[in-house]
Amino acid sequence: MTTVLASLNQALRRSLTASLDVMVLGEDVLDPYGGAFKVTQGLSSTYPERVLATPVSEAGIVGLGVGMALRGLRPVVEIMFGDFLMLAGDALVNHAAKFRWVSNDRVRVPLVVRTPMGGRRGYGPTHSQSLEKHLMGAAGLRTVAASALLDPGPMLEAAILSDDDPTLFVEHKLLYAQQIGAGLDGGEYQVQSAGERYPSLTVRLAGAPAPRLTFASYGYMAGLALEAIHRLAYEYELFAEMVAFTQLVPLCLEPLAQSVRQTRALLTLEEGSGVLGWGSEAISALVEELGPVFDARRVSARPVPIPASLPLEQAVLPQVEDLVRAALAMSNSDRSGSMRRSNG
Amino acid sequence: MTTVLASLNQALRRSLTASLDVMVLGEDVLDPYGGAFKVTQGLSSTYPERVLATPVSEAGIVGLGVGMALRGLRPVVEIMFGDFLMLAGDALVNHAAKFRWVSNDRVRVPLVVRTPMGGRRGYGPTHSQSLEKHLMGAAGLRTVAASALLDPGPMLEAAILSDDDPTLFVEHKLLYAQQIGAGLDGGEYQVQSAGERYPSLTVRLAGAPAPRLTFASYGYMAGLALEAIHRLAYEYELFAEMVAFTQLVPLCLEPLAQSVRQTRALLTLEEGSGVLGWGSEAISALVEELGPVFDARRVSARPVPIPASLPLEQAVLPQVEDLVRAALAMSNSDRSGSMRRSNG
Amino acid sequence: MPAELTPAELYRQMLRIRRFEETVLEAFPRGWFYGTTHTGIGQEANAVGVLGLRKPGEVVVSNHRCHGHFLAYGGSMTALAAELMGRATGVCGGRGGSQHLIDKDFYASGVLGGTLPLAVGMALAERRRQHLVIAFLGDGTLGEGAVYESLNLAALWRLPVYFIVENNRYAQTTPIHLHLAGEIPARFEAFGIPVEERDTTDVLEIRDLAESGLDRLRRGSGPQALVLHTYRFSPHSRGDDLRDPREIERFRQRDPLRTHGARLRPEDRRPIEAEVEQEVHQAFEAARAAPVADAASITPALGQGT
Amino acid sequence: MPAELTPAELYRQMLRIRRFEETVLEAFPRGWFYGTTHTGIGQEANAVGVLGLRKPGEVVVSNHRCHGHFLAYGGSMTALAAELMGRATGVCGGRGGSQHLIDKDFYASGVLGGTLPLAVGMALAERRRQHLVIAFLGDGTLGEGAVYESLNLAALWRLPVYFIVENNRYAQTTPIHLHLAGEIPARFEAFGIPVEERDTTDVLEIRDLAESGLDRLRRGSGPQALVLHTYRFSPHSRGDDLRDPREIERFRQRDPLRTHGARLRPEDRRPIEAEVEQEVHQAFEAARAAPVADAASITPALGQGT
Ligand SMILES: Cc1ncc(C[n+]2csc(CCOP(=O)(O)OP(=O)(O)O)c2C)c(N)n1
Ligand SMILES: Cc1ncc(C[n+]2csc(CCOP(=O)(O)OP(=O)(O)O)c2C)c(N)n1
Ligand SMILES: [Mg+2]
Ligand SMILES: [Mg+2]
């Protein structure tokens, strides 16, 4: 068994080995430190010319990556905390995502921007966010999120070596230490995969009755959903299945549509605040696809900054209990207000 | 009758007159030029100390505004084109929107960031966008959009003088020349307003049969919706009503819920591309509120950059015909694909 | 652009830009174009003096005021005219328009400052091929933080970028004293980047400066900067020009075409003028005859990988 | 902070910071805290030497390494301890944590560089009240473009901001030669901002420098900068310290507390040390006894206007 961290690290190493065009850049990525979350550990020792520590210049280094990609390299830029991604917002939205199309498809931008997102470590309001929703909607940018359910290493490798468009590659901090596939290997779950490069998984309890509820999720929340599925089944006899995405945008709806056609009830889960979030995209796209044949709610962070203090952070970020509660409320068609939404 | 431009300009003037704390900053805002779209015309002549031309530093001047607001001023920062707003993304998301809450509500950030958005003028991929969706989801930030249906001047004035939280104030370029309330004053429409500071309007043809379809929109698209309502009624005998919002986030759902409870069909309209857009928020929030009792689609830009050439730009941005077509498709429950959505 | 940078050739290149842009401004009211445009009439010597020395494969990074750079780089005048007219045959098939020109070794975009990190990244890539990057920016663009992140990166890694500042003394309508503190060369020196500065519109002077700068770069000097104090006679874009007409008149005294044109004998100059007239005329005629961009040609923003 | 900046008082203030932060690092493994923290052990003379001279109403803008600034500014040690422990009585009620301290005239945030435009905006507001703003930044933060946008704005409008660069020779783990090109003072001179530079950890030297700097500012000089070359003995945050232990040892020779402490007679120093020990102990005890932040206290992010 291997951890998400090790798999991502090895994917970077394989990519550097596979192609001289691959370069890895970011703040503090050099050995012996190997990056704030150690994802680049060991790389600079083997490839000192192609692994570069940068100044603290998020806009600059993402723009740098765009320029490198336009001239034939396949750069991987690490943003130390996803919270700083807005600094590179213009580089991503107005440069990375546009050059190919605006050039009339004459150029390519094979850039990967990797970044850890997420909270639950007490890092406070500017080091705990899940800000991917602010960039995901940009046409010309692909957003992929690592998950522990499905080895993210090959996905990262594909994004680097094979994908000619810019990719935002999101890694929830708490995934790094998780074992890949840990929850899924005991035979307790029945798993079905769809899609090739960045697949989605449909997961349900093996041998259970037909699910009455669909969770749609990604990243760390997908792990929480697994727990919720377990608890809902054993404590409440409510059977749910989950569709866990790795490619967040463009969203390949089919597996979700397939599940929701059966369950007619959808809960989207994301750790960031829900307003204009990924869940809203999933729900809307599905309504457009299926029509008004399913109920839906979003579970997400409360719409406030993420506080540093443990009890406050726990109250703001969605927990397994919130998923369970939302699922129960939904199955009771209780419209008294969805989870984690307030007036802020 | 007065134009949106004149009303916004007068609101700025009234604000500067009302309080010595108000300052207006931006690129090229000084007379005789008065700003790229002339919204600040005349202000620097009357208030030379409080109307400042800035360097070309979008991140800097929005951050400056946050600092000014934290120390008792009520700054209004103009971003010359909304396309450059991502440069100030960090200042908005991590600073403007956070300080109040993180300080445990001890400080206030009464900042207004105004910016023209939108295309249809051939300005090409970096001067035509509607990027508000990338920032709207930030907790702690209010987003208001000017419309020509309802005088935006008093709203801007309230945002400056009375609102203690940061406001992103979006002005579609094509609204500036429009007469306020022009479409609504002939008695053809029945209009109902809800909310106080940033109201929404529910508009339908006077004396028409009960509407079978709801448009939800804002800004320039609200004007197109009015045209579409007219055409749908007279050419297709399909009766629609519109809820036009000025406060985009937080979204006050009630007027929309009221309409959709009747029509059971919702079309959201926005000029930006739809993925993780405002329409997705509106649809999802409404599903959460009402349950699966209405059909919904989004009309938005095709998910590509906005091209410079006229026929290409017209094909990418949603036109009245697209609204009409989407409305007809929806009323026929045709699920063959919603308007302007493709696989990009 | 021909290798032989004779005085006559320099004149021709500047005149091509001048006549192209004058035609754009004249023809705008006739409805040939859609949108807007930024011309650099008066600044031609910068583009020609520097880019005349470009070698194949060396990269140009430009900005909103890019027609002159594009033509001096060797871009097709017809494709440029077509791009401004939104034709399928335009540089970017009509997608980019006046300020977004992307060609083999040429990149312009309309977001000020954002192109500088790109230029530095390109230099990182081009270093492998012993190529360099020439990046243009205006005085106003020095307001953008991305510029300084770029200078630091370029200097730290000794990357082959030639920063050419065209100081036309205005950012749109804002005069430099209202938008820039201190002196421009010091902005580069602060990062240890050698900088030369000249207040000139003489294409020969600029060519000589660029020649030595490019030479240093090609010999591995690391980044270099050249600050050219210049002036634009045309308005910022299409709109009103609110500058003092006497100021414009004063700077017209050193119109680069006049200064350099005076060096040629009239009998050498006239055929050039006739040829350029012909070239510009044909470029616009060809562009006008080209098919407009077709909505059916719209491709998705994301492809399917390699 | 008392007006009377005697040597004894300077020692006390530095020691308060030192002992506070040492206690934080010691207590972390005991589970008193959640999250992480950045201490500035070794850099105390900067905070104390500069902020000891702050007048009421003058504003401090700080960064991720803010405990020392906060205590030297006059912030409550108990409230700071409580904030680090996520207590309701913390500076920000536990919402901010170690790197987000917001107090009456004090603002720290964890996004590097983003605070500098805020500082300049505050100076624009404070100019009306004849107040000034003191803004701290590290060497690594000079990588951020927002810094240069801020310097330009501050210089253009001659705003009362005192930029204090604490160059501890590292950005996290990256030594300065890998992240910064050129020399730090030149980064300010490029904008016409007068700058003084000193390689010192002597609080008296720093106080004297700051005294003249603040004096100039209070007399309307416009922005000023002070570059202090310093060193941090503690790790960047809580994690491993990968610097060469000999390097750390070398810099420990000029531990500001040692340097300045040697000036005091032991009999004067000892009561201060005892008092500070007592103060720190009580601060943490009070904080530990305070109620943890309560989820019920969570307010919406948007209020209802005035
Ligand atoms: C990021 C950004 N901000 C603002 C603008 C609007 N704008 C276009 S050109 C211009 C002035 C640029 O001045 P300068 O860099 O001196 O170039 P010049 O126009 O003088 O050639 C401005 C502010 C822009 N295009 N991009
Ligand atoms: C915008 C941003 N990028 C990266 C970081 C992560 N980070 C925290 S401290 C630090 C190093 C800062 O170096 P410096 O400014 O010299 O301050 P020091 O830590 O040495 O006191 C980094 C990169 C951050 N907090 N903000
Ligand atoms: Mg200029
Ligand atoms: Mg440092």
Side-chain angles (χ1 to χ4, degrees):
Chain A
M1 290 258 286
T2 174
T3 62
V4 167
L5 181 65
S7 176
L8 292 173
N9 177 260
Q10 284 152 23
L12 289 171
R13 178 173 287 279
R14 282 196 307 276
S15 302
L16 283 159
T17 307
S19 166
L20 286 171
D21 294 335
V22 174
M23 289 186 74
V24 173
L25 299 92
E27 296 160 16
D28 299 285
V29 296
L30 298 190
D31 290 335
Y33 191 61
F37 292 91
K38 311 295 173 204
V39 183
T40 59
Q41 190 107 58
L43 304 179
S44 70
S45 299
T46 315
Y47 300 105
E49 288 89 27
R50 290 193 284 128
V51 180
L52 302 183
T54 70
V56 189
S57 311
E58 288 78 9
I61 62 179
V62 173
L64 200 87
V66 177
M68 292 165 71
L70 282 168
R71 299 301 296 185
L73 296 178
R74 307 193 78 88
V76 183
V77 176
E78 171 172 305
I79 298 295
M80 189 191 280
F81 283 79
D83 304 69
F84 314 144
L85 205 57
M86 299 310 288
L87 288 163
D90 185 71
L92 287 167
V93 172
N94 281 331
H95 296 82
K98 288 207 188 354
F99 267 78
R100 179 224 178 112
W101 196 89
V102 171
S103 78
N104 213 10
D105 298 324
R106 290 171 68 183
V107 303
R108 295 288 180 274
V109 186
L111 164 70
V112 174
V113 176
R114 294 182 35 247
T115 193
M117 292 278 187
R120 308 176 195 271
R121 297 202 38 178
Y123 289 164
T126 64
H127 288 64
S128 307
Q129 300 169 87
S130 295
L131 294 184
E132 57 269 26
K133 72 173 183 179
H134 291 290
L135 292 156
M136 242 189 255
L141 184 68
R142 187 187 308 279
T143 301
V144 174
S147 139
L149 302 182
L150 204 59
D151 191 353
M155 298 182 217
L156 178 57
E157 194 179 353
I160 298 170
L161 293 175
S162 313
D163 203 326
D164 279 351
D165 291 308
T167 304
L168 175 62
F169 198 93
V170 178
E171 307 162 2
H172 191 289
K173 296 177 188 78
L174 291 200
L175 291 176
Y176 290 132
Q178 292 191 358
Q179 300 291 330
I180 292 167
L184 298 182
D185 52 1
E188 185 184 0
Y189 294 97
Q190 175 188 330
V191 181
Q192 195 183 324
S193 156
E196 310 230 316
R197 198 170 278 172
Y198 311 110
S200 63
L201 287 188
T202 302
V203 182
R204 57 159 92 174
L205 282 170
R212 287 167 43 207
L213 173 67
T214 305
F215 287 124
S217 192
Y218 67 90
Y220 181 75
M221 291 297 291
L224 295 193
L226 224 51
E227 284 186 53
I229 287 173
H230 191 97
R231 282 187 45 190
L232 286 165
Y234 289 93
E235 296 174 27
Y236 302 97
E237 291 190 35
L238 173 59
F239 298 96
E241 84 180 349
M242 161 168 67
V243 184
F245 288 86
T246 59
Q247 179 169 297
L248 307 186
V249 164
L251 195 56
C252 299
L253 269 187
E254 197 31 44
L256 191 61
Q258 217 172 311
S259 173
V260 173
R261 268 192 212 100
Q262 305 290 326
T263 63
R264 306 205 160 245
L266 171 65
L267 266 183
T268 64
L269 318 178
E270 65 201 304
E271 189 177 296
S273 68
V275 179
L276 279 92
W278 178 81
S280 62
E281 175 62 29
I283 292 172
S284 306
L286 208 59
V287 173
E288 292 176 324
E289 183 75 16
L290 301 182
V293 300
F294 66 98
D295 201 2
R297 316 269 176 95
R298 293 169 289 180
V299 178
S300 59
R302 284 166 77 158
V304 294
I306 299 175
S309 133
L310 178 60
L312 297 184
E313 190 189 36
Q314 282 178 337
V316 166
L317 297 183
Q319 312 294 335
V320 176
E321 298 74 56
D322 297 311
L323 274 57
V324 169
R325 217 173 312 136
L328 293 172
M330 182 126 153
S331 81
N332 297 331
S333 288
D334 168 4
R335 303 222 81 74
S336 70
S338 29
M339 298 318 301
R340 303 276 156 194
R341 289 187 59 253
S342 85
N343 224 5
Chain B
M1 290 257 285
T2 176
T3 62
V4 167
L5 180 66
S7 176
L8 293 173
N9 176 261
Q10 284 152 23
L12 288 171
R13 178 173 287 280
R14 282 196 306 276
S15 303
L16 283 160
T17 308
S19 166
L20 285 170
D21 293 335
V22 174
M23 288 185 76
V24 173
L25 298 93
E27 296 160 16
D28 299 286
V29 297
L30 299 190
D31 290 336
Y33 190 61
F37 293 91
K38 312 294 172 203
V39 183
T40 59
Q41 189 106 61
L43 304 179
S44 70
S45 300
T46 315
Y47 299 105
E49 289 88 28
R50 290 192 285 127
V51 180
L52 301 183
T54 69
V56 188
S57 310
E58 288 78 8
I61 62 178
V62 173
L64 199 88
V66 177
M68 292 164 72
L70 282 168
R71 299 302 296 184
L73 295 178
R74 307 193 77 89
V76 183
V77 176
E78 171 172 305
I79 298 295
M80 189 191 280
F81 282 79
D83 304 69
F84 314 143
L85 204 58
M86 299 310 288
L87 288 163
D90 185 72
L92 287 167
V93 172
N94 280 331
H95 296 83
K98 289 209 189 346
F99 267 79
R100 179 224 179 111
W101 195 88
V102 171
S103 78
N104 213 7
D105 299 324
R106 290 170 69 184
V107 303
R108 295 288 181 273
V109 186
L111 164 69
V112 175
V113 176
R114 294 182 34 246
T115 194
M117 291 280 188
R120 307 175 196 271
R121 297 202 37 179
Y123 289 165
T126 64
H127 287 64
S128 307
Q129 299 169 88
S130 295
L131 294 183
E132 58 270 25
K133 72 173 183 179
H134 291 290
L135 292 157
M136 242 188 255
L141 183 67
R142 188 186 307 278
T143 301
V144 174
S147 139
L149 301 181
L150 206 60
D151 191 353
M155 299 182 216
L156 178 57
E157 195 178 354
I160 299 169
L161 293 175
S162 312
D163 203 326
D164 278 351
D165 290 308
T167 304
L168 175 61
F169 198 92
V170 178
E171 306 162 3
H172 191 289
K173 296 177 188 77
L174 292 199
L175 290 177
Y176 289 133
Q178 292 191 358
Q179 299 291 332
I180 293 167
L184 297 182
D185 52 2
E188 185 184 0
Y189 293 99
Q190 178 189 326
V191 181
Q192 196 182 323
S193 155
E196 311 228 316
R197 199 171 278 173
Y198 311 110
S200 63
L201 286 188
T202 302
V203 182
R204 58 158 92 175
L205 282 169
R212 289 168 41 209
L213 173 67
T214 305
F215 287 124
S217 191
Y218 67 90
Y220 180 75
M221 291 299 291
L224 295 192
L226 224 51
E227 285 185 52
I229 287 174
H230 191 97
R231 281 186 46 189
L232 286 165
Y234 289 94
E235 295 173 27
Y236 302 96
E237 291 190 35
L238 174 59
F239 298 97
E241 85 179 350
M242 163 169 66
V243 185
F245 287 86
T246 58
Q247 179 169 297
L248 307 186
V249 165
L251 195 57
C252 299
L253 269 187
E254 198 31 45
L256 191 60
Q258 217 172 311
S259 174
V260 173
R261 267 193 212 98
Q262 304 290 324
T263 64
R264 309 209 156 238
L266 171 65
L267 266 184
T268 64
L269 317 178
E270 65 200 304
E271 190 177 296
S273 68
V275 179
L276 279 92
W278 178 80
S280 63
E281 175 62 29
I283 292 172
S284 307
L286 207 59
V287 172
E288 291 176 324
E289 183 76 17
L290 302 182
V293 299
F294 65 99
D295 201 2
R297 316 268 175 96
R298 295 170 288 181
V299 178
S300 59
R302 283 165 76 159
V304 293
I306 300 175
S309 134
L310 177 60
L312 298 183
E313 190 188 37
Q314 282 178 339
V316 166
L317 297 183
Q319 311 294 336
V320 175
E321 299 74 57
D322 298 312
L323 275 57
V324 169
R325 218 174 312 137
L328 294 172
M330 182 127 150
S331 81
N332 297 330
S333 288
D334 167 5
R335 304 222 82 74
S336 69
S338 30
M339 297 317 302
R340 302 277 155 196
R341 288 187 58 253
S342 84
N343 225 4
Chain C
M1 165 151 269
E4 203 61 274
L5 264 195
T6 61
E9 188 54 32
L10 289 168
Y11 184 71
R12 176 195 302 275
Q13 294 303 335
M14 291 199 294
L15 191 63
R16 292 175 75 232
I17 298 173
R18 172 70 53 93
R19 291 298 301 133
F20 179 88
E21 296 208 308
E22 284 176 347
T23 308
V24 169
L25 288 179
E26 279 159 33
F28 236 110
R30 268 179 264 152
W32 288 15
F33 309 101
Y34 174 58
T36 190
T37 194
H38 304 88
T39 60
I41 294 175
Q43 302 186 188
E44 297 89 348
N46 306 338
V48 171
V50 176
L51 296 183
L53 302 161
R54 189 182 76 92
K55 292 191 176 157
E58 292 181 342
V59 179
V60 182
V61 173
S62 172
N63 56 10
H64 60 297
R65 206 174 298 289
C66 55
H67 308 157
H69 305 149
F70 183 74
L71 292 173
Y73 143 86
S76 153
M77 189 185 282
T78 306
L80 178 59
E83 185 63 30
L84 268 62
M85 291 180 185
R87 306 288 158 150
T89 56
V91 181
C92 297
R95 292 180 178 182
S98 168
Q99 49 182 341
H100 309 93
L101 301 177
I102 303 168
D103 199 28
K104 184 171 169 302
D105 297 314
F106 190 95
Y107 305 84
S109 179
V111 182
L112 299 174
T115 48
L116 276 300
L118 270 62
V120 177
M122 290 177 185
L124 186 54
E126 292 302 322
R127 183 163 58 175
R128 307 190 296 173
R129 293 186 270 258
Q130 248 100 61
H131 284 163
L132 55 80
V133 176
I134 302 168
F136 289 90
L137 64 158
D139 51 299
T141 303
L142 292 167
E144 291 290 351
V147 171
Y148 304 94
E149 301 191 5
S150 306
L151 298 184
N152 192 38
L153 285 158
L156 264 179
W157 298 344
R158 296 180 58 79
L159 295 175
V161 197
Y162 201 11
F163 296 102
I164 313 288
V165 178
E166 299 188 80
N167 171 24
N168 60 12
R169 300 155 211 260
Y170 285 89
Q172 197 142 337
T173 66
T174 305
I176 187 162
H177 71 272
L178 289 185
H179 75 68
L180 188 128
E183 302 296 328
I184 297 177
R187 302 281 176 100
F188 294 90
E189 286 157 359
F191 298 84
I193 297 178
V195 55
E196 289 181 297
E197 176 184 21
R198 195 70 63 88
D199 193 343
T200 184
T201 56
D202 183 346
V203 70
L204 292 184
E205 266 188 70
I206 294 170
R207 184 201 57 186
D208 290 350
L209 285 164
E211 190 152 37
S212 62
L214 288 166
D215 196 54
R216 286 191 298 278
L217 274 152
R218 292 189 187 117
R219 283 186 287 111
S221 66
Q224 303 280 317
L226 176 59
V227 178
L228 297 169
H229 303 291
T230 183
Y231 199 79
R232 135 178 81 68
F233 308 145
S234 47
H236 166 70
S237 56
R238 291 179 49 221
D240 299 341
D241 195 334
L242 300 163
R243 293 170 302 177
D244 183 344
R246 284 166 308 184
E247 179 184 289
I248 303 178
E249 205 35 59
R250 189 151 38 82
F251 278 104
R252 272 198 194 276
Q253 301 311 309
R254 47 173 232 185
D255 181 333
L257 280 158
R258 194 146 105 181
T259 304
H260 187 63
R263 292 191 179 114
L264 304 188
R265 290 179 310 179
E267 59 269 35
D268 294 337
R269 225 171 54 204
R270 249 173 261 126
I272 296 176
E273 287 166 357
E275 283 160 31
V276 166
E277 215 53 39
Q278 182 70 359
E279 183 190 1
V280 171
H281 179 78
Q282 283 173 354
F284 280 96
E285 286 311 302
R288 292 181 67 197
V292 294
D294 180 359
S297 72
I298 292 176
T299 49
L302 280 177
Q304 299 304 320
T306 328
Chain D
M1 166 149 270
E4 203 63 271
L5 263 195
T6 61
E9 187 53 32
L10 288 167
Y11 184 72
R12 175 194 302 275
Q13 294 304 334
M14 291 199 293
L15 191 63
R16 292 175 74 234
I17 298 172
R18 173 69 55 94
R19 291 298 303 131
F20 179 87
E21 296 207 308
E22 284 176 345
T23 308
V24 169
L25 287 180
E26 279 159 32
F28 235 109
R30 267 179 265 152
W32 288 14
F33 309 101
Y34 174 58
T36 189
T37 194
H38 304 88
T39 60
I41 294 174
Q43 303 186 188
E44 298 88 348
N46 306 338
V48 171
V50 175
L51 295 183
L53 302 161
R54 189 182 76 93
K55 293 191 175 156
E58 293 180 342
V59 179
V60 181
V61 173
S62 173
N63 55 12
H64 60 296
R65 206 174 298 289
C66 56
H67 309 157
H69 305 151
F70 183 76
L71 292 174
Y73 142 87
S76 153
M77 189 185 283
T78 306
L80 178 59
E83 185 62 31
L84 268 60
M85 291 182 185
R87 306 289 159 151
T89 56
V91 181
C92 297
R95 292 180 178 183
S98 168
Q99 48 183 343
H100 309 94
L101 302 177
I102 303 168
D103 199 29
K104 183 170 168 301
D105 298 314
F106 190 94
Y107 305 85
S109 180
V111 182
L112 298 174
T115 48
L116 277 300
L118 269 63
V120 177
M122 290 176 184
L124 185 55
E126 291 303 321
R127 184 162 59 175
R128 306 190 297 175
R129 293 186 271 258
Q130 248 100 59
H131 283 164
L132 55 80
V133 176
I134 301 168
F136 289 89
L137 63 158
D139 51 299
T141 303
L142 292 167
E144 291 289 352
V147 172
Y148 305 93
E149 301 192 4
S150 306
L151 298 184
N152 192 38
L153 284 158
L156 264 179
W157 299 343
R158 295 180 59 80
L159 297 174
V161 195
Y162 201 10
F163 297 101
I164 313 288
V165 178
E166 298 187 82
N167 171 24
N168 60 11
R169 299 154 213 257
Y170 285 90
Q172 198 141 337
T173 66
T174 304
I176 186 162
H177 71 272
L178 290 184
H179 75 67
L180 188 127
E183 302 295 328
I184 298 177
R187 302 282 177 101
F188 294 90
E189 287 158 358
F191 299 84
I193 297 178
V195 56
E196 289 180 299
E197 176 184 22
R198 195 70 62 88
D199 193 344
T200 184
T201 56
D202 182 346
V203 70
L204 291 184
E205 265 188 72
I206 293 170
R207 184 201 56 186
D208 290 351
L209 284 164
E211 189 152 39
S212 61
L214 288 166
D215 195 53
R216 287 191 299 278
L217 273 153
R218 291 186 187 120
R219 285 186 286 110
S221 65
Q224 303 279 317
L226 177 60
V227 177
L228 296 169
H229 303 290
T230 184
Y231 199 79
R232 130 179 86 67
F233 309 144
S234 48
H236 167 70
S237 56
R238 292 178 49 222
D240 300 340
D241 196 334
L242 300 163
R243 294 170 302 177
D244 182 345
R246 284 165 308 182
E247 178 184 289
I248 304 176
E249 205 34 59
R250 189 151 38 81
F251 279 104
R252 273 198 194 276
Q253 303 311 310
R254 48 173 232 186
D255 182 334
L257 280 158
R258 193 146 107 180
T259 305
H260 187 64
R263 293 190 178 114
L264 305 188
R265 291 179 308 179
E267 57 269 39
D268 293 337
R269 226 170 55 202
R270 249 174 260 125
I272 295 176
E273 287 164 357
E275 283 161 31
V276 166
E277 216 52 40
Q278 182 71 0
E279 182 189 3
V280 171
H281 179 79
Q282 284 175 352
F284 280 95
E285 286 310 304
R288 292 181 66 197
V292 294
D294 181 358
S297 72
I298 293 176
T299 50
L302 280 176
Q304 300 303 321
T306 328

